[in-house]
Amino acid sequence: MALVEQIDKDLVAAMKAREELRLSTLRMMKTALKLKQTQTGKALDDAQSVAVLRILVNQRHDSAEQFRKGGREEMAAKEEAEIKIVESYLPAGASDEDIDAAVAAALAETGITSVQEMGKVMKAAMAKLAGKNAEGKRVSEKVRAKLGT
């Protein structure tokens, strides 16, 4: 079943179960996916859907951080609950070993040794991690460590 179809199915189940947080989060996810579909002009495949959901997770992380800085712990907790719901639709996260292997392969492939060309290494490493839920921040930290900064 496609990711978009699964979200639609779960949305109906959340309505019937009267799960307010899950329902609002699923509606937010469906809206973001529909917007992306409208922008591209064609149906989204699972890879594109996962990319949209990753953006939503990053937005929620940023919001939770801002709420904490503003002393709004209850709002930060709500954002983190939404993160858990969205992440349940994402593929399993890449392990540290997976990231290390991808970074090592990317460095060997590109032959880059300076931090100035880190972007090329990041692009190659993220391509190797495609299909796995790898945060760019974690990959970036590993690349910096390997390049010695």
Side-chain angles (χ1 to χ4, degrees):
M1 180 180 296
L3 188 57
V4 175
E5 294 169 1
Q6 182 65 43
I7 290 170
D8 286 340
K9 182 179 158 201
D10 292 348
L11 184 78
V12 172
M15 275 186 220
K16 289 179 180 176
R18 299 186 189 278
E19 297 171 335
E20 291 299 319
L21 178 65
R22 185 169 183 77
L23 179 61
S24 68
T25 304
L26 287 167
R27 283 181 173 156
M28 178 244 332
M29 292 164 55
K30 184 175 179 176
T31 301
L33 291 167
K34 191 62 96 172
L35 176 64
K36 183 67 171 180
Q37 181 179 345
T38 304
Q39 290 172 345
T40 61
K42 57 185 178 193
L44 300 178
D45 61 10
D46 278 351
Q48 292 169 314
S49 298
V50 166
V52 171
L53 295 182
R54 280 192 187 127
I55 290 170
L56 293 176
V57 168
N58 288 337
Q59 288 172 344
R60 299 289 156 295
H61 278 295
D62 292 343
S63 296
E65 184 180 320
Q66 292 301 317
F67 283 132
R68 283 217 165 74
K69 285 180 182 175
R72 302 280 315 266
E73 190 59 41
E74 73 284 351
M75 294 299 292
K78 180 181 179 283
E79 294 292 322
E80 288 172 349
E82 289 179 359
I83 289 169
K84 286 186 176 80
I85 293 169
V86 175
E87 284 180 338
S88 70
Y89 291 90
L90 293 173
S95 67
D96 284 337
E97 294 80 26
D98 291 339
I99 294 173
D100 286 337
V103 169
L107 286 169
E109 180 182 301
T110 59
I112 292 173
T113 57
S114 73
V115 179
Q116 283 77 23
E117 296 179 282
M118 185 176 153
K120 293 177 184 173
V121 178
M122 283 293 296
K123 184 176 179 183
M126 291 304 282
K128 295 195 180 313
L129 291 167
K132 296 181 181 171
N133 191 16
E135 289 181 20
K137 184 178 179 182
R138 284 178 54 204
V139 177
S140 174
E141 290 169 357
K142 299 278 186 183
V143 170
R144 284 186 190 280
K146 293 273 188 190
L147 292 176
T149 58

